[in-house]
Amino acid sequence: MRSMQQGQAAAPTVVTFANLWLDGQWRRDATLTIDTTGSASELAHGDGTAPGASTVVPGITLPGLVNAHCHAFQRPLGAWTQRQGSPGDNFWSWREGMYELAGDLDLEDLAAITARCYLDLLRGGYTHVAEFLYLHRLGVPRDGAPNADAAVATAAALAGMGVTLLPTLYQHADFGGVPPTPGQQPFVRSTAQYLADWRELLRRYPADGPVALGAAFHSLRAVDVATIGALAPQLLDEPRCRGLHMHVAEQPAEVAACVAQHGLAPMALLAARGLLSPRWSLVHATHSSAAELELARCAGATVVLCPSTEADLGDGCPDIAGYLDAAGAIAIGSDSNIGRSATTELRLLEWSQRLARQRRNVLAAPGAPRVADRLYRAAWQGGQRALGVASGGGQRRADFVTYDGDAGDWALQAPEDFLSALVFDAANPQARHVMVGGRWVIRDGVHAHEAAIETSYRAALQRLAARRAAAGAGQRRGASS
Ligand SMILES: [Zn+2]
C-alpha cells in the first residue's frame, strides 16, 4: 500500500477501497477520486485511471456516520456518576453532577475535553459532530458565547472532526417560565443576546469554511414555546442555518409537565404550533407516543436517538419500530459521550427493543432482514438530514471509516454479513483509518495530534480535580465554622 499521509488533501487523489459500502451495497475494489473540495466520486472499472496511482485500503470501509447530538463537555462524567448518591438516583440526580462540572469548566478545559472526545468519536466511526452547546459562560473571568462555541470549533479542527455548531438557547428551569436555578446560570442568556451571539458566529465562520452552523433550543422546559415560535422562523430564514435541534420527551416528568402547562405532550405541542418541518431534529423522543412520532414523520422531522446515554441515565426505551417501518427518519447521537462508538449505538438501539419486547431482530423489516444494514443505512441518511445535507447521488463527501481484522469476525463472513459482524459481534470496534473531507485524520491507527490532545485532557482533568478538592475543603470549613 502506498503511504497514507495524515492531513493530506492538497491534490485530487485516487483511493481504492478493498471493500466499500456504498448506498447499501458492498463493492470490491471500489476506486474513488477525491477532489480538493473533499468530495468523492466513484470511478467505473477500466475508465482510464491507472490503478498503480491509487492508495489501496484493505479492510471494510463505510461512510462515516454523523453524530447528530453531542455535549462534548460531559465526556468526564461517565466515570464520575456511577456511584449511588441515593436509592432514587435517576436522570435528575445525574443532572446535578452535570451542573457541578459545568460550573467548574473554563474555556481551556472545554477545548481540551472536546478534542479528546472528538478523537474518541473518530475512532468510534463518526466523521461529523453536531455539537449542541448550551454551556456558554465559562471560567473566571466569565468568557461568554460565542467563545465557547469557538473553543469547540478549535478542538474539532485539532481532532480533524467535521463540526456543525448548534448554539443553544436555555432560559428557564421548567415550564411556565420558572427562573433558572444557580446550577443553570452558565447556560442562561436573553433572546436578544442569543441572536447577537448567533450573528457573531455567522461572521466568524464564513460559508466556505469548515465550520457549519445550526441552532438549538434546549427543550420546552428551558425555552417557552412562544419564544421558540418567534425565533425559529428568524433562524431558519438565514440560508446558512442547517437546521434546528431540541431535546424532546426524554423524561416522563417532562411530558407530564408539558401536558399540565399546555394540554399537549411535547411533540404534539410543536406540531400544533406549526413548528415541525424537515429542518427540525428532535432528540430522544423516548416518551413520545406513536401518534406523536407519526406527527414528526408527516412533518419530515428527524428523530435523534442516543441509546448509550439513554441507558446510562435510565431514560427509558423509545418504541421506534412502527416509526421506522413508516419510513420515519432517525439519526444517532453520543449525547453525554458515555458511549463513543457509532456501531455500538446501533447495537444498543436494537438490543433495547429486544429487552423491551422479548423478541429478536425487532428493527428488521421484510425487505431489510439484516438489522445492522437497515440501521446503518438509516443512521447514515438521517444523520445527513439532521445536518441539512442531502445524502446519496454520484458525488458524496469523502468521509470514510475503515475497520480491520481487529474489529470482529467480519472477514470470516460473506459480504452481506459484514455489517452484522461489525455491529453485533465486534467487542470494541475501532476504526483503523478515518478520512474526513478527503483528509486522512487517522491512518494505521495513528492520529498526528494524539499525544498533545491526551496531555491537554489529563491537565484539564487535574485542574477540575483540584477545583473540586478546593470547593470540598471550603464547604467543610464552612460547615465547621
Ligand atoms: Zn442531550
Side-chain angles (χ1 to χ4, degrees):
M1 170 179 12
R2 255 181 43 172
S3 150
M4 291 183 282
Q5 294 300 313
Q6 188 164 343
Q8 175 184 77
T13 53
V14 179
V15 181
T16 297
F17 294 103
N19 300 284
L20 176 64
W21 187 95
L22 274 182
D23 300 328
Q25 300 291 323
W26 284 105
R27 316 279 185 89
R28 280 289 297 174
D29 299 324
T31 299
L32 306 183
T33 53
I34 295 163
D35 68 21
T36 52
T37 69
S39 292
S41 42
E42 190 177 12
L43 292 176
H45 283 295
D47 71 350
T49 302
S54 71
T55 297
V56 179
V57 183
I60 52 173
T61 299
L62 296 137
L65 288 186
V66 169
N67 180 349
H69 186 67
C70 178
H71 311 292
F73 83 87
Q74 296 176 8
R75 167 72 179 81
L77 288 174
W80 293 355
T81 56
Q82 310 301 334
R83 189 177 63 187
Q84 189 183 68
S86 83
D89 273 355
N90 58 15
F91 167 86
W92 306 102
S93 55
W94 171 88
R95 200 174 66 153
E96 294 303 315
M98 184 269 283
Y99 291 167
E100 198 178 325
L101 169 65
D104 278 348
L105 290 170
D106 63 24
L107 278 177
E108 188 180 4
D109 304 326
L110 176 64
I113 291 168
T114 301
R116 167 63 189 270
C117 182
Y118 287 178
L119 176 54
D120 290 350
L121 293 170
L122 288 165
R123 292 196 197 284
Y126 297 106
T127 49
H128 197 109
V129 166
E131 183 64 34
F132 189 113
L133 188 63
Y134 52 90
L135 173 61
H136 73 95
R137 268 192 297 149
L138 295 130
V140 179
R142 292 275 163 188
D143 285 297
N147 290 331
D149 290 287
V152 167
T154 302
L158 180 65
M161 176 67 86
V163 69
T164 298
L165 298 177
L166 303 174
T168 303
L169 185 60
Y170 196 120
Q171 297 184 317
H172 304 299
D174 209 342
F175 290 90
V178 175
T181 65
Q184 294 166 338
Q185 289 303 323
F187 315 150
V188 175
R189 56 188 142 169
S190 69
T191 302
Q193 187 61 53
Y194 178 81
L195 283 172
D197 292 341
W198 161 253
R199 285 190 286 271
E200 171 61 15
L201 289 172
L202 286 170
R203 190 190 65 74
R204 281 194 196 190
Y205 298 110
D208 57 356
V211 177
L213 296 172
F217 305 103
H218 179 273
S219 59
L220 286 161
R221 282 183 275 121
V223 188
D224 189 82
V225 70
T227 303
I228 296 170
L231 259 182
Q234 292 183 55
L235 294 165
L236 291 174
D237 265 355
E238 164 54 50
R240 291 180 52 206
C241 180
R242 296 292 187 87
L244 301 176
H245 291 224
M246 185 163 72
H247 295 119
V248 175
E250 184 174 7
Q251 285 287 319
E254 175 193 337
V255 176
C258 191
V259 171
Q261 182 74 26
H262 298 287
L264 291 169
M267 219 179 265
L269 176 62
L270 294 171
R273 298 293 175 99
L275 288 167
L276 295 183
S277 77
R279 298 182 72 187
W280 274 82
S281 293
L282 305 166
V283 182
H284 298 305
T286 311
H287 299 283
S288 296
S289 67
E292 283 185 281
L293 288 168
E294 178 63 7
L295 292 171
R297 188 192 68 79
C298 289
T302 301
V303 171
V304 183
L305 303 164
C306 309
S308 63
T309 293
E310 289 154 8
D312 186 61
L313 301 189
D315 285 344
C317 174
D319 190 353
I320 205 77
Y323 173 81
L324 258 186
D325 287 345
I330 63 162
I332 57 165
S334 66
D335 197 357
S336 71
N337 295 293
I338 183 76
R340 299 177 294 280
S341 156
T343 54
T344 304
E345 296 295 338
L346 301 181
R347 181 194 310 179
L348 278 174
L349 176 58
E350 166 66 18
W351 279 1
S352 66
Q353 306 294 309
R354 295 184 190 187
L355 287 164
R357 296 177 178 223
Q358 296 127 61
R359 276 183 40 212
R360 303 194 71 252
N361 300 320
V362 175
L363 297 179
R370 289 178 174 80
V371 176
D373 293 70
R374 189 184 190 211
L375 291 184
Y376 202 96
R377 188 183 176 99
W380 173 61
Q381 291 177 332
Q384 307 290 317
R385 193 180 176 92
L387 295 182
V389 176
S391 60
Q395 257 211 347
R396 67 200 68 235
R397 195 172 147 78
D399 293 344
F400 296 109
V401 293
T402 301
Y403 297 89
D404 69 5
D406 290 339
D409 286 346
W410 60 265
L412 305 179
Q413 318 302 323
E416 59 266 30
D417 290 321
F418 282 171
L419 261 173
S420 296
L422 182 69
V423 170
F424 287 102
D425 193 49
N428 180 30
Q430 298 277 290
R432 182 154 181 84
H433 312 293
V434 180
M435 176 185 281
V436 178
R439 292 160 47 97
W440 292 111
V441 296
I442 294 176
R443 48 107 173 160
D444 295 326
V446 176
H447 186 286
H449 305 301
E450 176 147 23
I453 288 170
E454 184 66 23
T455 300
S456 297
Y457 181 68
R458 284 169 181 263
L461 289 202
Q462 284 167 359
R463 288 193 296 272
L464 285 170
R467 282 178 213 140
R468 286 179 165 227
Q475 281 170 4
R476 284 192 296 277
R477 274 198 301 277
S480 64
S481 61

